[in-house]
Amino acid sequence: MPHVLIIEDEPDLAMGLRDNLEFEGYTVTHAADGEQGLAAMREAAADLIVLDIMLPGIDGFEVCRRMREAGHTMPIIILSARGQEIDKVRGLELGADDYVTKPFSLRELLARVSAALRRAGQPVANEQARINVGDRVIDLTRQKVVLPDKAEVPLGYYESEILRILIEHVGEAVHRSELLERIWGTGVYPADRTVDNHIVSLRRKLEPDAKKPRHILTAHAVGYKLVL
Ligand code: CA
């Protein structure tokens, strides 16, 4: 399982993150400041870093810059109490991959950790791999839909990623912008119709009648919702 390094000086938050990541199956190292974090990386390179900005000593921006300067390419998810756009831009310019503003839900952070690792081609912990939708089965590990007659239809990369997120929020509307951000990444803006086009193609694979969807529903003015 991937190794996650948490660089965070608030003990309660660090412990909560650590427990949850370990529960998901990740190996976790915690560093309470930037120097410790850089030292931990020299000792054992992590596959992903969760990095607080406001740290005693050198701040998260500087840690991020030094990590990239040292040639480390793993995803870095920045945590910040400040939500200002300027911080976000600065973090991304210094080579961070994603940015979460405190307070955040652990579930959201875990989802972003999985998404970042997946983009980096790393394995991801504890996911529900098979799920029944109407008369079909989605098999995310093999990226296929199994039809009632057992025939299999392959899912494209983006189709699988969209399904993964809809499954996480089954029964709830998922905003189009959340899909864009988590799959394509913060600061990347593919064409507006990109998500919609993948949904059309998913419906052809999952719905008995793609023109009258019963499972992948449009949530008006918001995005999409999966109903099993
Ligand atoms: Ca802090």
PDB file of all heavy atoms in Angstrom, residues 15-37:
ATOM      1  N   MET A  15      -3.408  13.412  14.108  1.00  0.00           N
ATOM      2  CA  MET A  15      -3.776  12.084  14.588  1.00  0.00           C
ATOM      3  C   MET A  15      -5.020  11.572  13.868  1.00  0.00           C
ATOM      4  O   MET A  15      -5.105  10.403  13.503  1.00  0.00           O
ATOM      5  CB  MET A  15      -4.011  12.137  16.097  1.00  0.00           C
ATOM      6  CG  MET A  15      -3.828  10.793  16.768  1.00  0.00           C
ATOM      7  SD  MET A  15      -4.275  10.876  18.514  1.00  0.00           S
ATOM      8  CE  MET A  15      -3.149  12.135  19.074  1.00  0.00           C
ATOM      9  N   GLY A  16      -5.993  12.470  13.676  1.00  0.00           N
ATOM     10  CA  GLY A  16      -7.214  12.086  12.961  1.00  0.00           C
ATOM     11  C   GLY A  16      -6.910  11.621  11.538  1.00  0.00           C
ATOM     12  O   GLY A  16      -7.426  10.611  11.068  1.00  0.00           O
ATOM     13  N   LEU A  17      -6.035  12.376  10.873  1.00  0.00           N
ATOM     14  CA  LEU A  17      -5.641  12.013   9.509  1.00  0.00           C
ATOM     15  C   LEU A  17      -4.923  10.670   9.496  1.00  0.00           C
ATOM     16  O   LEU A  17      -5.197   9.810   8.671  1.00  0.00           O
ATOM     17  CB  LEU A  17      -4.696  13.072   8.929  1.00  0.00           C
ATOM     18  CG  LEU A  17      -5.336  14.372   8.477  1.00  0.00           C
ATOM     19  CD1 LEU A  17      -4.254  15.370   8.082  1.00  0.00           C
ATOM     20  CD2 LEU A  17      -6.250  14.089   7.295  1.00  0.00           C
ATOM     21  N   ARG A  18      -4.009  10.540  10.427  1.00  0.00           N
ATOM     22  CA  ARG A  18      -3.211   9.317  10.490  1.00  0.00           C
ATOM     23  C   ARG A  18      -4.110   8.097  10.704  1.00  0.00           C
ATOM     24  O   ARG A  18      -4.008   7.106   9.979  1.00  0.00           O
ATOM     25  CB  ARG A  18      -2.217   9.438  11.647  1.00  0.00           C
ATOM     26  CG  ARG A  18      -1.369   8.237  11.795  1.00  0.00           C
ATOM     27  CD  ARG A  18      -0.404   8.353  12.973  1.00  0.00           C
ATOM     28  NE  ARG A  18       0.663   7.419  12.716  1.00  0.00           N
ATOM     29  CZ  ARG A  18       1.950   7.671  12.907  1.00  0.00           C
ATOM     30  NH1 ARG A  18       2.336   8.818  13.394  1.00  0.00           N
ATOM     31  NH2 ARG A  18       2.842   6.767  12.621  1.00  0.00           N
ATOM     32  N   ASP A  19      -4.997   8.183  11.702  1.00  0.00           N
ATOM     33  CA  ASP A  19      -5.888   7.053  12.003  1.00  0.00           C
ATOM     34  C   ASP A  19      -6.715   6.672  10.789  1.00  0.00           C
ATOM     35  O   ASP A  19      -6.851   5.501  10.462  1.00  0.00           O
ATOM     36  CB  ASP A  19      -6.840   7.404  13.155  1.00  0.00           C
ATOM     37  CG  ASP A  19      -6.112   7.437  14.495  1.00  0.00           C
ATOM     38  OD1 ASP A  19      -4.930   7.022  14.536  1.00  0.00           O
ATOM     39  OD2 ASP A  19      -6.714   7.886  15.488  1.00  0.00           O
ATOM     40  N   ASN A  20      -7.271   7.685  10.139  1.00  0.00           N
ATOM     41  CA  ASN A  20      -8.148   7.394   9.003  1.00  0.00           C
ATOM     42  C   ASN A  20      -7.381   6.810   7.821  1.00  0.00           C
ATOM     43  O   ASN A  20      -7.852   5.891   7.160  1.00  0.00           O
ATOM     44  CB  ASN A  20      -8.899   8.652   8.577  1.00  0.00           C
ATOM     45  CG  ASN A  20     -10.131   8.852   9.429  1.00  0.00           C
ATOM     46  OD1 ASN A  20     -11.179   8.315   9.129  1.00  0.00           O
ATOM     47  ND2 ASN A  20      -9.988   9.578  10.523  1.00  0.00           N
ATOM     48  N   LEU A  21      -6.215   7.355   7.555  1.00  0.00           N
ATOM     49  CA  LEU A  21      -5.415   6.830   6.437  1.00  0.00           C
ATOM     50  C   LEU A  21      -4.948   5.404   6.748  1.00  0.00           C
ATOM     51  O   LEU A  21      -4.964   4.539   5.875  1.00  0.00           O
ATOM     52  CB  LEU A  21      -4.228   7.747   6.150  1.00  0.00           C
ATOM     53  CG  LEU A  21      -4.594   9.063   5.452  1.00  0.00           C
ATOM     54  CD1 LEU A  21      -3.461  10.077   5.569  1.00  0.00           C
ATOM     55  CD2 LEU A  21      -4.927   8.818   3.980  1.00  0.00           C
ATOM     56  N   GLU A  22      -4.549   5.168   8.005  1.00  0.00           N
ATOM     57  CA  GLU A  22      -4.112   3.813   8.371  1.00  0.00           C
ATOM     58  C   GLU A  22      -5.271   2.832   8.280  1.00  0.00           C
ATOM     59  O   GLU A  22      -5.114   1.706   7.829  1.00  0.00           O
ATOM     60  CB  GLU A  22      -3.504   3.806   9.782  1.00  0.00           C
ATOM     61  CG  GLU A  22      -2.086   4.351   9.773  1.00  0.00           C
ATOM     62  CD  GLU A  22      -1.423   4.411  11.138  1.00  0.00           C
ATOM     63  OE1 GLU A  22      -2.137   4.250  12.165  1.00  0.00           O
ATOM     64  OE2 GLU A  22      -0.211   4.645  11.189  1.00  0.00           O
ATOM     65  N   PHE A  23      -6.441   3.291   8.691  1.00  0.00           N
ATOM     66  CA  PHE A  23      -7.630   2.443   8.622  1.00  0.00           C
ATOM     67  C   PHE A  23      -7.908   2.037   7.173  1.00  0.00           C
ATOM     68  O   PHE A  23      -8.331   0.923   6.884  1.00  0.00           O
ATOM     69  CB  PHE A  23      -8.833   3.178   9.223  1.00  0.00           C
ATOM     70  CG  PHE A  23     -10.079   2.346   9.234  1.00  0.00           C
ATOM     71  CD1 PHE A  23     -10.260   1.337  10.177  1.00  0.00           C
ATOM     72  CD2 PHE A  23     -11.080   2.565   8.299  1.00  0.00           C
ATOM     73  CE1 PHE A  23     -11.410   0.564  10.179  1.00  0.00           C
ATOM     74  CE2 PHE A  23     -12.232   1.794   8.285  1.00  0.00           C
ATOM     75  CZ  PHE A  23     -12.393   0.794   9.228  1.00  0.00           C
ATOM     76  N   GLU A  24      -7.652   2.960   6.249  1.00  0.00           N
ATOM     77  CA  GLU A  24      -7.858   2.666   4.824  1.00  0.00           C
ATOM     78  C   GLU A  24      -6.789   1.720   4.286  1.00  0.00           C
ATOM     79  O   GLU A  24      -6.916   1.208   3.179  1.00  0.00           O
ATOM     80  CB  GLU A  24      -7.803   3.961   4.002  1.00  0.00           C
ATOM     81  CG  GLU A  24      -8.906   4.936   4.312  1.00  0.00           C
ATOM     82  CD  GLU A  24     -10.195   4.605   3.581  1.00  0.00           C
ATOM     83  OE1 GLU A  24     -10.139   4.430   2.358  1.00  0.00           O
ATOM     84  OE2 GLU A  24     -11.235   4.512   4.243  1.00  0.00           O
ATOM     85  N   GLY A  25      -5.726   1.540   5.043  1.00  0.00           N
ATOM     86  CA  GLY A  25      -4.690   0.607   4.606  1.00  0.00           C
ATOM     87  C   GLY A  25      -3.373   1.253   4.205  1.00  0.00           C
ATOM     88  O   GLY A  25      -2.441   0.562   3.811  1.00  0.00           O
ATOM     89  N   TYR A  26      -3.282   2.586   4.305  1.00  0.00           N
ATOM     90  CA  TYR A  26      -2.026   3.246   3.937  1.00  0.00           C
ATOM     91  C   TYR A  26      -1.006   3.120   5.059  1.00  0.00           C
ATOM     92  O   TYR A  26      -1.353   3.016   6.229  1.00  0.00           O
ATOM     93  CB  TYR A  26      -2.264   4.741   3.665  1.00  0.00           C
ATOM     94  CG  TYR A  26      -3.156   4.995   2.479  1.00  0.00           C
ATOM     95  CD1 TYR A  26      -4.469   5.438   2.651  1.00  0.00           C
ATOM     96  CD2 TYR A  26      -2.702   4.773   1.190  1.00  0.00           C
ATOM     97  CE1 TYR A  26      -5.309   5.655   1.560  1.00  0.00           C
ATOM     98  CE2 TYR A  26      -3.523   4.984   0.092  1.00  0.00           C
ATOM     99  CZ  TYR A  26      -4.830   5.426   0.278  1.00  0.00           C
ATOM    100  OH  TYR A  26      -5.650   5.624  -0.803  1.00  0.00           O
ATOM    101  N   THR A  27       0.263   3.170   4.687  1.00  0.00           N
ATOM    102  CA  THR A  27       1.339   3.301   5.658  1.00  0.00           C
ATOM    103  C   THR A  27       1.513   4.794   5.872  1.00  0.00           C
ATOM    104  O   THR A  27       1.578   5.551   4.901  1.00  0.00           O
ATOM    105  CB  THR A  27       2.649   2.727   5.075  1.00  0.00           C
ATOM    106  OG1 THR A  27       2.400   1.373   4.721  1.00  0.00           O
ATOM    107  CG2 THR A  27       3.785   2.815   6.069  1.00  0.00           C
ATOM    108  N   VAL A  28       1.560   5.230   7.135  1.00  0.00           N
ATOM    109  CA  VAL A  28       1.565   6.672   7.396  1.00  0.00           C
ATOM    110  C   VAL A  28       2.761   7.077   8.249  1.00  0.00           C
ATOM    111  O   VAL A  28       3.083   6.409   9.229  1.00  0.00           O
ATOM    112  CB  VAL A  28       0.255   7.108   8.106  1.00  0.00           C
ATOM    113  CG1 VAL A  28       0.268   8.609   8.370  1.00  0.00           C
ATOM    114  CG2 VAL A  28      -0.955   6.719   7.278  1.00  0.00           C
ATOM    115  N   THR A  29       3.423   8.161   7.862  1.00  0.00           N
ATOM    116  CA  THR A  29       4.456   8.779   8.684  1.00  0.00           C
ATOM    117  C   THR A  29       3.979  10.192   8.995  1.00  0.00           C
ATOM    118  O   THR A  29       3.380  10.840   8.131  1.00  0.00           O
ATOM    119  CB  THR A  29       5.794   8.875   7.906  1.00  0.00           C
ATOM    120  OG1 THR A  29       6.160   7.568   7.491  1.00  0.00           O
ATOM    121  CG2 THR A  29       6.896   9.450   8.772  1.00  0.00           C
ATOM    122  N   HIS A  30       4.207  10.629  10.240  1.00  0.00           N
ATOM    123  CA  HIS A  30       3.810  11.987  10.595  1.00  0.00           C
ATOM    124  C   HIS A  30       5.027  12.822  10.956  1.00  0.00           C
ATOM    125  O   HIS A  30       5.895  12.388  11.707  1.00  0.00           O
ATOM    126  CB  HIS A  30       2.820  11.964  11.777  1.00  0.00           C
ATOM    127  CG  HIS A  30       2.553  13.331  12.334  1.00  0.00           C
ATOM    128  ND1 HIS A  30       2.677  13.618  13.670  1.00  0.00           N
ATOM    129  CD2 HIS A  30       2.202  14.483  11.722  1.00  0.00           C
ATOM    130  CE1 HIS A  30       2.403  14.916  13.855  1.00  0.00           C
ATOM    131  NE2 HIS A  30       2.108  15.451  12.691  1.00  0.00           N
ATOM    132  N   ALA A  31       5.087  14.026  10.424  1.00  0.00           N
ATOM    133  CA  ALA A  31       6.125  14.984  10.797  1.00  0.00           C
ATOM    134  C   ALA A  31       5.419  16.232  11.313  1.00  0.00           C
ATOM    135  O   ALA A  31       4.447  16.682  10.707  1.00  0.00           O
ATOM    136  CB  ALA A  31       6.990  15.323   9.593  1.00  0.00           C
ATOM    137  N   ALA A  32       5.906  16.790  12.429  1.00  0.00           N
ATOM    138  CA  ALA A  32       5.212  17.906  13.066  1.00  0.00           C
ATOM    139  C   ALA A  32       5.677  19.270  12.559  1.00  0.00           C
ATOM    140  O   ALA A  32       5.092  20.288  12.898  1.00  0.00           O
ATOM    141  CB  ALA A  32       5.368  17.828  14.588  1.00  0.00           C
ATOM    142  N   ASP A  33       6.732  19.307  11.753  1.00  0.00           N
ATOM    143  CA  ASP A  33       7.106  20.578  11.118  1.00  0.00           C
ATOM    144  C   ASP A  33       7.834  20.300   9.802  1.00  0.00           C
ATOM    145  O   ASP A  33       8.059  19.138   9.433  1.00  0.00           O
ATOM    146  CB  ASP A  33       7.940  21.453  12.062  1.00  0.00           C
ATOM    147  CG  ASP A  33       9.278  20.822  12.435  1.00  0.00           C
ATOM    148  OD1 ASP A  33       9.883  20.138  11.586  1.00  0.00           O
ATOM    149  OD2 ASP A  33       9.708  21.003  13.585  1.00  0.00           O
ATOM    150  N   GLY A  34       8.182  21.373   9.107  1.00  0.00           N
ATOM    151  CA  GLY A  34       8.756  21.241   7.776  1.00  0.00           C
ATOM    152  C   GLY A  34      10.113  20.536   7.761  1.00  0.00           C
ATOM    153  O   GLY A  34      10.376  19.704   6.896  1.00  0.00           O
ATOM    154  N   GLU A  35      10.961  20.888   8.732  1.00  0.00           N
ATOM    155  CA  GLU A  35      12.296  20.260   8.791  1.00  0.00           C
ATOM    156  C   GLU A  35      12.165  18.750   8.959  1.00  0.00           C
ATOM    157  O   GLU A  35      12.837  17.972   8.282  1.00  0.00           O
ATOM    158  CB  GLU A  35      13.111  20.823   9.973  1.00  0.00           C
ATOM    159  CG  GLU A  35      13.468  22.295   9.848  1.00  0.00           C
ATOM    160  CD  GLU A  35      14.554  22.567   8.804  1.00  0.00           C
ATOM    161  OE1 GLU A  35      15.048  21.602   8.179  1.00  0.00           O
ATOM    162  OE2 GLU A  35      14.888  23.753   8.604  1.00  0.00           O
ATOM    163  N   GLN A  36      11.280  18.364   9.901  1.00  0.00           N
ATOM    164  CA  GLN A  36      11.057  16.928  10.134  1.00  0.00           C
ATOM    165  C   GLN A  36      10.517  16.249   8.880  1.00  0.00           C
ATOM    166  O   GLN A  36      10.852  15.109   8.580  1.00  0.00           O
ATOM    167  CB  GLN A  36      10.013  16.731  11.241  1.00  0.00           C
ATOM    168  CG  GLN A  36      10.565  16.715  12.650  1.00  0.00           C
ATOM    169  CD  GLN A  36       9.446  16.361  13.649  1.00  0.00           C
ATOM    170  OE1 GLN A  36       8.552  15.570  13.347  1.00  0.00           O
ATOM    171  NE2 GLN A  36       9.494  16.964  14.819  1.00  0.00           N
ATOM    172  N   GLY A  37       9.649  16.967   8.195  1.00  0.00           N
ATOM    173  CA  GLY A  37       9.055  16.413   6.983  1.00  0.00           C
ATOM    174  C   GLY A  37      10.111  16.160   5.912  1.00  0.00           C
ATOM    175  O   GLY A  37      10.134  15.106   5.286  1.00  0.00           O
TER     176      GLY A  37
END
